[in-house]
Amino acid sequence: MRRSIPLVATGLAATLALAACGGGSGGSSGNSGGDGSFNAGLTRVVNPSTKTGGTLHLANAGDWDNVDPADTYYAFSWNFARFYGRTLMMFKPSPGKSGLELTPDLAQGPGQHSADLKTWTYKLKPGVKYEDGTPVKAQDIKYDIERSLDKKTFPNGPTYFNDYLDLQGYTSPYNDKTPGKLGLKAVETPDDSTIVFHLKKPFGAFDYFAMLPSTMPVPPAKDTGANYKQHVVATGPYKFESYTPGKSIALVRNTNWDPSTDPNRKQLPDRVEVQLGINADDVDNRLINGSLQSDVQSTGVQAAAAGRIQTQPRLKQNADAAPTARLWYVAISGDVAPFDNVHCRRAVEYVADKQAMQTAFGGPLSGGDIATHLIMPVLPGSKDMNPYPSGPGNHGDIAKAKQELAACGKPNGFKTVISARTERTKEVNAALAMQQSLAKIGVQVEIKKYPQGDYFKLYAGKPEYVKKNGLGLMMMAWAADWPEGFGYLSQIVDSRVIRDAGNTNLGVKDPEVDKTLDKAVVTADETARNDLWAQIDAKVMDDAYIVPFLNVKGLMYRPPSAKNTYINQGLNGEYDFVQMGVK
């Protein structure tokens, strides 16, 4: 991150320094040869190696939202996309605190900004090529940014460029007769190696925008719109051999990737193969027996595997657990009656059995700590608050919940629906715990499960569907796009980012929150800015649009068959896939 920019917290790396959690010892169970210990991956590279060859095996219990850089928003997808695509900036490939810092990728250096922080300029490194050997041009980066603005074609993904670029009515390259040439006036390319961004309002942390997948270059001649996902043209060390949605992904070496232009990535395996739609417990079993090197979802092992790992030192030495900038919560839609009444929403806040929901995720070590407000302790602006105490043992305060139901005019309860992602067993189990909690006050909850790949595009993130199908409650997890208040909050609490589909703000609508966000962005003083993030946290909790229940501490397993394994905090506490090799 750029400490020379006024709006970037100068003490952020120190704020986010993460404590290790103790450890076990001994050899691995059936997987000898590892050099790790419990939580070793938090602070160093485990099993370092420069050996090339072999196949890196990964798995995903579900599927992607999209592999197209203009249309993706899962944290694991942003991590994985670095195999095949390069962005202007990226997080440093490093364990520990340094992984929170940005470093140039396609760009020669951080953005050069005007005095008013509204104009940002980047120069590209020379010699970067696509998989077919043609040179990457600044115009190609501009073109993918133009594509990402089209939220009808590409509903997933953040709205930062939509919200901050001086669009002047521009909507899509597919409505533009000169895409990638003149096109969007807010982004200029005076030559093939220079790209200039013009913002409609100041923003001092624009380098974080420059690391978004939508700054991956796309050659206009190869673009096929919504079908581009069938073969994304690679600039990274690997290119697509095949992608069969719901089944598999296969990447092979990109022979036109030049490591001299890319010191941030490795190209160790010959192939990267991802199996999709694998039962989550089966994924864990394959990790433990070493036939998989990593779980792409990176949300931690399931309860059964967590029990084995925590009780067997020979497994525990190959595991990592640490607080992350990720929150599990239940979103409450104010568009679905009776949740248009704040007291009905507050009844849910009080009755939630957070201990049961924590147990669904594996308990304190493999799941995380019980959450009582929106901003996790590892982020700036987090202030300890608990506006809805959930009773002894965190099993819910039934008396308070009934009082709120009475104030809502529903003393005998009501019926509603809670959504969850089919492939995420722990999420479904947490939804079941919420269902059982609400039953105690007469609220009958139906659980509806949806595929994770379309969860935001077609279901929970589509307001029309939510209202029509009565999704009053929606299971949700959120990780910071970057480790700072704006990078965490803006896409889940700003009402102005809500669109027809692909939303990650699942219902927070408060003009006061929007105004406070705008004020924080232009507040240079770090302490004052962090106070504003805390004010937003308190206001959203008072509105009762979000029921936080878990500050994530996923228990991750790294088999000794995986080389160069470590947690990258800039990637929300995930293993850094691009650095990995195989035994």
Side-chain angles (χ1 to χ4, degrees), residues 115-241:
D116 63 2
L117 300 174
K118 292 172 67 175
T119 301
W120 290 79
T121 302
Y122 296 85
K123 299 288 289 187
L124 304 191
K125 295 175 181 175
V128 181
K129 298 178 180 179
Y130 290 108
E131 63 184 64
D132 62 2
T134 57
V136 168
K137 299 179 180 180
Q139 292 87 344
D140 303 341
I141 298 173
K142 174 182 178 177
Y143 183 64
D144 195 32
I145 292 168
E146 291 176 335
R147 297 170 75 246
S148 74
L149 298 172
D150 185 343
K151 293 306 179 185
K152 293 187 180 297
T153 306
F154 306 114
N156 299 309
T159 64
Y160 296 120
F161 285 124
N162 299 71
D163 301 334
Y164 274 81
L165 289 177
D166 186 12
L167 298 179
Q168 301 178 39
Y170 186 91
T171 58
S172 169
Y174 308 119
N175 300 326
D176 185 356
K177 296 180 180 179
T178 57
K181 295 181 181 179
L182 297 176
L184 176 64
K185 295 180 180 179
V187 181
E188 294 181 315
T189 52
D191 55 57
D192 290 350
S193 62
T194 305
I195 186 166
V196 184
F197 297 87
H198 299 284
L199 311 184
K200 61 184 177 184
K201 50 188 174 182
F203 191 72
F206 190 82
D207 278 341
Y208 287 118
F209 286 14
M211 66 87 190
L212 297 173
S214 46
T215 68
M216 289 182 182
V218 172
K222 299 292 181 67
D223 182 28
T224 53
N227 293 322
Y228 184 66
K229 64 185 178 183
Q230 296 175 3
H231 189 95
V232 177
V233 182
T235 50
Y238 293 88
K239 62 182 180 180
F240 280 92
E241 180 182 72

Side-chain angles (χ1 to χ4, degrees), residues 465-510:
Y465 184 92
V466 169
K467 191 171 184 177
K468 183 177 180 180
N469 291 273
L471 304 187
L473 307 172
M474 292 161 282
M475 297 300 297
M476 178 66 174
W478 188 248
D481 288 343
W482 59 83
E484 190 264 347
F486 185 84
Y488 172 63
L489 290 170
S490 65
Q491 296 292 302
I492 58 172
V493 303
D494 189 338
S495 68
R496 296 162 297 186
V497 307
I498 298 175
R499 49 193 188 269
D500 292 340
N503 293 295
T504 48
N505 179 348
L506 303 187
V508 180
K509 298 178 181 178
D510 186 331

Side-chain angles (χ1 to χ4, degrees), residues 85-90 103-107 125 261-262 264-265:
R86 298 179 61 180
T87 51
L88 286 170
M89 301 288 289
M90 65 183 288
T103 190
D105 187 7
L106 287 174
K125 295 175 181 175
T261 71
D262 190 359
N264 300 311
R265 293 170 176 80

Side-chain angles (χ1 to χ4, degrees), residues 8 20 94 114 127 143 175 180 186-187 191-192 207 263 283 297 341 375 381 396 430 433 458-459 499 533 549:
V8 179
S94 176
S114 59
Y143 183 64
N175 300 326
V187 181
D191 55 57
D192 290 350
D207 278 341
V283 171
Q297 281 192 19
N341 187 309
I375 302 179
L458 300 180
Y459 307 111
R499 49 193 188 269
W533 301 137
F549 65 87

